[in-house]
Amino acid sequence: MLMLVAALLVLTRLHLPTTFGHIGPLPDASWAAFFIGGYYLRTWSRWAFPLFMAAAVAVDYIVISGQGINFWTHYCVSPAYWFLVPAYGAMWAGGALLRRYQTANHGRTLALLVGTLLASVTVCHLVSQGSFYWLSPVVSEPTVAGWWKNFSDWYLPYLRVAAIYVGLAVIVHVLAGQVVRLARPHGRAAG
């Protein structure tokens, strides 16, 4: 599972040219990958989360320097860049929280999924977008009204992308569970 989620993070964060026809590069799944990682790798968080962070920074370095730009002078790498650690930590924590409190009641677990994803994306966006808006030199004269406009302009697109990837992960999770259940010999309970 570690390799699948890490591959999702790296391949979509690279914004590679499409090899899937004419649909263009896939949207960045970083936020969803951290949420999914928190869910599946919760017990490995001590080393898996830093590994995912290192992968995200390495990809950013490759993409930025690959354009002939100095990584440390790129507009995205301001003091706010390091706020991605707590921002992505919020996504990871949301996935871990979902895993910890899920139940056999599918309706309750679905409600918990929606709530934790919404809360995680909101905190992640507040931290990442807020730190960029207030700390980066890109915004010359920051105002609360300007910050709110920027926050609200980008919130739904980021939420939508994260929700689509997490939704796809849920579908794969349910299908895999069904395959395992159907593959069991009849009459034997899971151990």
Side-chain angles (χ1 to χ4, degrees), residues 57 71-72 77-86:
V57 173
F71 178 75
W72 299 108
V77 186
S78 70
Y81 183 78
W82 306 109
F83 279 81
L84 289 180
V85 175

Side-chain angles (χ1 to χ4, degrees), residues 111-130:
L112 184 60
L113 166 64
V114 169
T116 56
L117 182 61
L118 187 60
S120 299
V121 166
T122 301
V123 171
C124 182
H125 191 57
L126 275 169
V127 173
S128 63
Q129 181 274 337

Side-chain angles (χ1 to χ4, degrees), residues 143-162:
T143 64
V144 172
W147 165 79
W148 177 249
K149 169 128 179 51
N150 187 276
F151 178 87
S152 58
D153 285 350
W154 290 102
Y155 179 72
L156 287 179
Y158 276 98
L159 176 61
R160 181 176 37 250
V161 169

Side-chain angles (χ1 to χ4, degrees), residues 79-104:
Y81 183 78
W82 306 109
F83 279 81
L84 289 180
V85 175
Y88 291 168
M91 297 303 297
W92 191 276
L97 189 70
L98 173 62
R99 180 66 176 246
R100 181 173 182 194
Y101 290 107
Q102 74 179 5
T103 67

Side-chain angles (χ1 to χ4, degrees), residues 21-171:
H22 299 287
I23 61 171
L26 294 173
D28 185 348
S30 296
W31 291 20
F34 278 93
F35 187 86
I36 296 165
Y39 180 84
Y40 285 107
L41 307 171
R42 177 175 71 98
T43 58
W44 299 341
S45 292
R46 177 177 284 155
W47 62 269
F49 179 78
L51 178 70
F52 275 51
M53 282 306 309
V57 173
V59 168
D60 291 348
Y61 181 83
I62 290 166
V63 169
I64 292 169
S65 62
Q67 297 172 6
I69 302 169
N70 181 322
F71 178 75
W72 299 108
T73 61
H74 190 267
Y75 78 94
C76 282
V77 186
S78 70
Y81 183 78
W82 306 109
F83 279 81
L84 289 180
V85 175
Y88 291 168
M91 297 303 297
W92 191 276
L97 189 70
L98 173 62
R99 180 66 176 246
R100 181 173 182 194
Y101 290 107
Q102 74 179 5
T103 67
N105 179 332
H106 298 303
R108 182 176 183 273
T109 298
L110 181 59
L112 184 60
L113 166 64
V114 169
T116 56
L117 182 61
L118 187 60
S120 299
V121 166
T122 301
V123 171
C124 182
H125 191 57
L126 275 169
V127 173
S128 63
Q129 181 274 337
S131 63
F132 184 80
Y133 185 86
W134 294 106
L135 298 176
S136 112
V138 172
V139 181
S140 59
E141 295 182 30
T143 64
V144 172
W147 165 79
W148 177 249
K149 169 128 179 51
N150 187 276
F151 178 87
S152 58
D153 285 350
W154 290 102
Y155 179 72
L156 287 179
Y158 276 98
L159 176 61
R160 181 176 37 250
V161 169
I164 288 169
Y165 281 117
V166 169
L168 290 171
V170 167
I171 292 168

